[in-house]
């Protein structure tokens, strides 16, 4: 019986495993192998030589420092907002939640452009001199990742039983004592999980750092890109990829160990209460976060509507062209159409793989071996969450270059890469929901004669349809804004919108810069619309990163 269940488990996971092997493990291994093998000879000493270079040391130091600072600022801004949105009945709470969560799905290139517009010369905060500085990088990272803290910790906060804290307060405990003795022990796992995931996102951020830090303030992620596209030092890029992969695996293991178990979806949620005087600091920090989110986005919109000092829609009308001095090979509108088409393909790919994998890892295990196998599959498919998108993109380019797997010129390669990037979001959305379904319901349906398919439609389909729509929205938004892997794989005649925006920023001319702003607004509005639609679904499991 146990052997039969294991065979069935392997058979069900075979499809996703084949896809992951061909389009993720093989390319990443091929890229990493370039660091150890030179001219057909194994040379592991060369990796150490690369890692001891002065430039690499500075890049590693800045990666750690910027990721640490970005994580700390994300926690400082995100924790008060998580408390307010989960426990306090503020007016317009749902709209406020959506606004604060929008940055999470904004394309990183859009965030970078927005901060450049605000902090750059002529911007409202240009006098601070933070353009192309470490401060700009950290602010951009916190802008992007505070939403992760709100999602992860907020979901855990909503599920806490308020009675222990109320009992402690009734016995004379101060609010600080209640927090330290009751609330913090219950939230510690969620906070540690959020911090580890945010650090992972900060350390592997690409578009934000490339736009705001440039060549001088490079992280491991952007350095891999520069080494491959500018210096053509593939060995050094592979060595950095190896280091990054080791760190990613360690952080994912930490996040998995600290992840708070998710309560069944049928559990009643805590009802928010009216604001109290003691909530003033948290409300003030939430208002500060809202301002922090609004200023760059407002600056981006205002900048896109200004042409030569006057209000105009000229930048948007110019999107139908190729920019000043033919800066682009195709119009921006054509790139937007290509991005939407690719995002649709990437979404259904990610959903198909993610749903099948979620079913595999959430089924009840009947032996320790089966439990370890399911846990291993779950961890394996989380690797694309943190492995460098640049490493993945370049690995696909250099690995799938011969025989039946020569897909370098195939239009299907970009959607596959984007689907792999979005896959962990889909899995982390669906797994908690399917894991919360009481297995006795499946057993009852089976005892009444329902087959596996009928049991699925009767027991799980009514529970999972909202999370499935939410996962579709997240996968679509993530695919639409993906920049790292796509920058290697997209053909020159069929670029995506993030690639076009980056090209416009690198070209001289006021019109090109204005078009980059307008294109960023279009991309931001598209992803924000998807985010608002997801927020209306209010799927609690989305907090489980």
């Amino acid at each position: 019986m146990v052997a039969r269940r294991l065979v069935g488990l392997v058979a069900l996971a075979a499809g996703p495993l084949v896809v992951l092997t061909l389009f993720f493990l093989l390319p990443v291994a091929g890229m990493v192998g370039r660091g150890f093998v030179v001219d057909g000879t194994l040379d592991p000493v060369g990796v150490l030589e690369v890692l001891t270079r002065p430039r690499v040391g500075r890049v590693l130091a800045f990666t750690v420092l910027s990721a640490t600072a970005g994580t700390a600022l994300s926690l400082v801004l995100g924790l008060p907002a998580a408390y307010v949105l989960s426990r306090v009945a503020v007016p317009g709470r749902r709209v406020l939640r959506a606004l604060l969560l929008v940055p999470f799905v904004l394309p990183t290139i859009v965030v970078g452009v927005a901060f450049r517009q605000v902090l750059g010369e002529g911007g409202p905060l240009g006098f601070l001199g933070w353009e192309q500085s470490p401060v700009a990088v950290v602010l951009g990272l916190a802008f992007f990742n505070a939403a992760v803290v709100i999602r992860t910790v907020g979901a855990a906060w909503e599920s806490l039983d308020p009675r222990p804290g109320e009992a402690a307060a009734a016995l004379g405990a101060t609010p600080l004592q209640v927090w330290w003795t009751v609330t913090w022990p219950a939230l510690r796992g969620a906070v540690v999980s959020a911090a580890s995931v945010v650090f992972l996102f900060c350390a592997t951020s690409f578009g934000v750092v490339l736009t705001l830090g440039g060549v001088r303030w490079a992280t491991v992620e952007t350095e891999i890109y520069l080494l491959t596209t500018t210096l053509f030092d593939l060995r050094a890029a592979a060595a950095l990829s190896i280091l990054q992969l080791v760190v990613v695996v360690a952080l994912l293991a930490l996040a998995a160990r600290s992840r708070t178990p998710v309560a069944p979806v049928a559990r009643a949620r805590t009802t928010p209460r009216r604001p109290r005087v003691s909530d003033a600091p948290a409300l003030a920090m939430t208002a500060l976060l809202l301002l922090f989110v609004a200023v760059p986005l407002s600056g981006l919109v205002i900048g896109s509507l200004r042409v030569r000092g006057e209000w105009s829609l000229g930048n948007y009308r110019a999107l139908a062209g190729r920019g000043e001095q033919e800066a682009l090979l195709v119009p921006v509108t054509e790139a937007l159409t290509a991005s939407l088409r690719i995002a649709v393909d990437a979404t259904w790919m990610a959903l198909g793989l993610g749903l099948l994998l979620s079913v595999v890892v959430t089924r009840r295990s009947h032996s320790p071996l089966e439990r370890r196998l399911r846990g291993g599959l779950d961890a394996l498919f989380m690797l694309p969450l943190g492995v460098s998108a640049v490493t993945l993109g370049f690995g696909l380019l250099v690995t799938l270059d011969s025989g039946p797997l020569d897909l370098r010129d195939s239009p299907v390669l970009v959607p596959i890469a984007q689907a792999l990037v979005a896959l962990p979001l889909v899995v982390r959305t669906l797994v908690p929901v399917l894991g919360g379904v009481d297995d006795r319901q499946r057993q009852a349906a089976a005892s009444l004669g329902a087959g596996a398919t009928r049991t699925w439609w009767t027991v799980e389909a009514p529970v999972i349809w909202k999370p499935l729509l939410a996962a579709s929205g997240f996968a679509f938004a993530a695919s639409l804004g993906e920049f790292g892997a796509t920058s290697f794989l997209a053909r020159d005649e069929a670029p995506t919108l993030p690639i076009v925006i980056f090209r416009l920023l690198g070209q001289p001319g006021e019109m090109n810069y204005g078009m980059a702003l307008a294109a960023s607004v279009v991309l931001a509005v598209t992803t924000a619309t998807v985010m608002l639609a997801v927020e209306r679904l209010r799927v609690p499991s989305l907090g489980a990163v």
Side-chain angles (χ1 to χ4, degrees), residues 20-363:
L20 186 74
T21 301
L22 290 179
F23 298 107
F24 179 76
L25 298 179
L26 183 62
V28 171
M31 180 66 177
V32 169
R34 289 175 177 264
F36 287 103
V37 180
V38 179
D39 297 328
T41 303
L42 183 64
D43 183 21
V45 178
V47 174
L48 298 178
E49 184 275 325
V50 170
L51 298 180
T52 55
R53 295 177 185 176
R55 163 78 180 180
V56 172
R58 291 193 297 271
V59 168
L60 291 176
F62 182 69
T63 301
V64 174
L65 291 175
S66 62
T68 302
T71 302
L73 186 56
S74 298
L75 290 172
V76 169
L77 295 173
L79 286 176
Y83 167 75
V84 169
L85 293 175
S86 61
R87 288 304 182 101
V88 183
V90 294
R93 181 164 159 264
R94 175 169 291 185
V95 175
L96 177 62
R97 183 195 299 270
L99 291 175
L100 293 180
L101 294 177
V102 160
F104 178 63
V105 294
L106 284 180
T108 56
I109 189 69
V110 171
V111 175
V113 173
F115 273 89
R116 279 186 58 170
Q117 178 64 18
V118 172
L119 300 176
E121 185 178 353
L125 300 180
F127 66 92
L128 296 173
W130 288 349
E131 184 181 14
Q132 297 284 298
S133 72
V135 176
V137 172
V138 172
L139 290 176
L141 293 176
F143 174 93
F144 190 75
N145 289 294
V148 178
V149 178
I150 296 174
R151 271 287 183 195
T152 308
V153 181
W157 222 322
E158 285 183 340
S159 65
L160 291 184
D161 188 346
R163 290 173 295 182
E166 294 171 353
L171 293 174
T174 65
L176 182 59
Q177 290 174 324
V178 172
W179 159 261
W180 188 251
T181 60
V182 179
T183 307
W184 170 246
L187 288 180
R188 182 169 50 226
V191 173
V192 172
S193 179
S196 60
V197 172
V198 168
F199 186 90
L200 180 67
F201 284 163
C202 290
T204 58
S205 179
F206 180 61
V208 170
V209 179
L210 186 64
T211 308
L212 298 178
V215 177
R216 181 181 179 187
W217 303 107
T219 60
V220 171
E221 183 83 351
T222 58
E223 187 72 3
I224 293 172
Y225 175 79
L226 294 172
L227 286 170
T228 51
T229 61
T230 304
L231 302 178
F232 303 104
D233 190 348
L234 303 185
R235 184 179 189 182
L240 288 178
S241 298
I242 295 169
L243 178 64
Q244 188 180 55
L245 185 60
V246 171
V247 174
V248 163
V249 171
L251 286 173
L252 286 176
L254 176 63
R257 287 178 61 88
S258 60
R259 187 177 299 139
T260 304
V262 178
V265 293
R267 178 177 174 174
R269 306 179 71 80
T270 303
T271 303
R273 52 168 176 74
R274 297 181 62 181
R276 300 171 180 170
V277 175
S278 59
D279 297 328
L283 291 170
M285 289 298 297
T286 303
L288 178 63
L289 177 58
L290 184 61
L291 183 65
F292 181 57
V293 169
V295 168
L297 297 182
S298 300
L300 179 65
V301 174
I302 293 172
S304 71
L305 295 172
R306 302 286 289 179
V307 178
R308 296 183 178 89
E310 298 181 354
W311 296 103
S312 172
L313 294 175
N315 290 327
Y316 291 90
R317 287 193 291 267
L319 297 182
R322 299 185 179 182
E324 195 171 334
Q325 298 180 352
E326 297 292 313
L328 302 174
L329 294 179
V330 298
V332 177
T333 50
E334 187 173 324
L336 175 61
T337 302
S339 292
L340 293 172
R341 183 176 61 252
I342 291 172
V344 169
D345 290 337
T347 298
W348 69 256
M349 291 178 186
L351 280 181
L353 291 173
L355 181 59
L356 185 57
L357 180 65
S358 299
V359 171
V360 169
V361 301
T362 56
R363 283 294 183 267

Side-chain angles (χ1 to χ4, degrees), residues 528-540:
T529 301
V530 174
M531 182 65 216
L532 291 172
V534 169
E535 179 57 26
R536 290 185 64 86
L537 296 173
R538 290 297 296 122
V539 178

